[in-house]
Amino acid sequence: MDILNGVRTSPMSRLQIRAVAVAIALMLIDGMDVAVAAYAAPVLSKSWSLDPVTLGFLLSSGLMGMAAGSLFLTPFSDKIGRRRMMLVALVLVSAGMVLFASDVVQLMAYRVLAGLGIGGMIANLNVYVSECSSDERRGSIFGLYTAGFAIGATLGWRFLPESLDYLISKRPQNALSRLNVILAQMRRPALGELPELSRNHQTHNGIKTLLTGRMAAQTVLLWLGYGLMIAAYYFASTWTPKLIATSSGGDTLGVTLGVVVNLGGIMGCFIFSIRAVFLRSRHLLLGSLLASAMVYAIFGMAFNQTSVAITIGAVPGVVTSANVAGFYATTPSLFPAALRGTGIGWMVGIGRLVSIVSPILVGYPSTKTTPAQPAPVKVA
């Protein structure tokens, strides 16, 4: 459509840049949730005398909530709007993070609640950033956006306008006036009426449309590929501190390597962002996926050798962050505008479901070799 094509082929306005910047900052919530759980795992394991299987379920509890949020909350962004859905999700995240847990069962429940909000927000943000970005800068923006997983911070929701794609494709109440307000902030002329819907923006019949016809194969392959990729990442990010702590005999070293992996993630995002200026995001994604397969195989064989593991510890973070940025940059435009929230929400949700299995499966073989020992109780 003319208005959307004009926005996407023109230099980004201050409003677009500001909206993307806030979205980048919000990625901190997802990164903090995963990182804090991983860093706390060795201490919680000792303090609460958790066996590896229970620890695996604890590490996966947040992912369970994220999967549910992505699958069942994000699709509402196609009905009530991207911005409103993010506000609802933020309330859930805040509730799950401020509640105090006195035992492992309560902690699992609160992490599920926080994960529910994170899942509903992050998948929605992926769609939002794609729709706010220009075609020329989308790959680079998603490189920076993925970096927000580790370095962002919540700035404030009043800086987030509604998505133009949502207003045009779904046409909620007062859509024209809301659209013109945003266009004025972008210094574009107001519209006298809503533009005619193209076939890509017409209303579809929910998830059923994504799983019928030629779109079905594309949808399933996207979901499967993202799921396998993100499962490898969550295995590395959640269990690495614990595995290194066990092999080295020191919790501090495990936390250090966890930080190294996350620092590698930041590097990977910026590398992807810079290279996306010159190369297509789809080509970068293919290259990073092939590289990550080799890197994870090497890392899996070397983590027992502490010095080697630390030396290459940043590399899994580098390639995985590039993978995530690549998926986020390329996939939203593959779904119809009226179903982007549903399509990306289910992609991220299925990815979370697959990733839940990784921390749990690691715990079962660990019970044969590294049973948890009760920690001595210190009385002040």
Side-chain angles (χ1 to χ4, degrees):
M1 297 166 58
D2 291 341
I3 181 63
L4 294 178
N5 289 335
V7 170
R8 287 170 181 160
T9 56
S10 302
M12 292 182 62
S13 66
R14 290 184 180 180
L15 178 68
Q16 290 170 282
I17 294 172
R18 187 177 64 190
V20 169
V22 175
I24 291 172
L26 290 170
M27 280 294 286
L28 169 70
I29 296 175
D30 196 6
M32 283 184 60
D33 184 80
V34 174
V36 169
Y39 297 157
V43 177
L44 288 175
S45 180
K46 292 180 179 179
S47 299
W48 286 350
S49 302
L50 303 181
D51 60 84
V53 173
T54 303
L55 182 60
F57 276 100
L58 176 60
L59 291 173
S60 288
S61 59
L63 300 177
M64 295 175 187
M66 293 178 196
S70 298
L71 291 171
F72 303 117
L73 290 185
T74 302
F76 281 101
S77 68
D78 290 331
K79 298 179 180 180
I80 66 174
R82 318 295 191 218
R83 186 178 184 276
R84 287 183 180 177
M85 187 63 252
M86 285 187 278
L87 290 171
V88 171
L90 184 61
V91 172
L92 296 175
V93 173
S94 301
M97 287 187 171
V98 301
L99 294 172
F100 176 78
S102 58
D103 56 45
V104 67
V105 175
Q106 286 186 357
L107 183 57
M108 286 184 185
Y110 297 156
R111 284 189 50 72
V112 168
L113 179 61
L116 187 68
I118 291 173
M121 180 171 61
I122 299 303
N124 185 37
L125 277 174
N126 298 345
V127 177
Y128 183 83
V129 172
S130 177
E131 293 176 343
C132 286
S133 304
S134 66
D135 291 340
E136 184 179 4
R137 293 288 178 257
R138 185 170 292 113
S140 297
I141 286 171
F142 267 104
L144 297 174
Y145 167 73
T146 309
F149 184 91
I151 63 174
T154 302
L155 298 179
W157 289 93
R158 67 189 183 91
F159 296 113
L160 283 173
E162 185 54 88
S163 162
L164 294 180
D165 291 70
Y166 168 77
L167 292 174
I168 291 175
S169 63
K170 302 302 290 189
R171 306 183 177 231
Q173 187 176 7
N174 300 322
L176 180 59
S177 61
R178 293 166 66 185
L179 180 65
N180 282 332
V181 169
I182 297 174
L183 291 176
Q185 292 178 303
M186 297 172 67
R187 298 183 179 179
R188 290 184 170 274
L191 300 179
E193 60 182 8
L194 289 172
E196 183 180 351
L197 287 175
S198 67
R199 185 175 182 180
N200 186 53
H201 286 79
Q202 290 173 2
T203 303
H204 297 267
N205 297 321
I207 192 68
K208 182 180 179 180
T209 303
L210 299 178
L211 297 175
T212 55
R214 288 185 295 178
M215 190 176 293
Q218 171 186 282
T219 298
V220 172
L221 288 174
L222 284 175
W223 290 351
L224 179 62
Y226 180 83
L228 294 175
M229 179 273 296
I230 210 69
Y233 170 70
Y234 277 113
F235 158 71
S237 62
T238 56
W239 270 100
T240 292
K242 172 61 177 174
L243 293 174
I244 296 300
T246 300
S247 64
S248 66
D251 293 344
T252 301
L253 194 57
V255 173
T256 299
L257 187 57
V259 173
V260 170
V261 172
N262 283 324
L263 288 175
I266 297 173
M267 292 172 54
C269 294
F270 285 112
I271 291 172
F272 184 94
S273 181
I274 293 170
R275 293 183 64 84
V277 175
F278 310 100
L279 300 173
R280 295 183 65 181
S281 299
R282 189 172 300 182
H283 297 159
L284 289 175
L285 174 59
L286 177 60
S288 63
L289 285 171
L290 293 174
S292 63
M294 295 185 290
V295 168
Y296 273 99
I298 296 171
F299 188 70
M301 293 184 289
F303 80 87
N304 278 324
Q305 304 174 38
T306 306
S307 59
V308 178
I310 291 178
T311 302
I312 66 173
V315 184
V318 171
V319 293
T320 304
S321 291
N323 292 338
V324 174
F327 266 96
Y328 290 171
T330 57
T331 53
S333 61
L334 300 178
F335 294 105
L339 285 177
R340 278 190 192 135
T342 302
I344 298 300
W346 274 70
M347 183 187 81
V348 175
I350 290 175
R352 303 288 192 183
L353 285 174
V354 177
S355 65
I356 290 169
V357 178
S358 292
I360 293 175
L361 288 183
V362 174
Y364 278 97
S366 299
T367 59
K368 301 177 181 179
T369 56
T370 57
Q373 299 296 326
V377 178
K378 295 182 180 181
V379 180

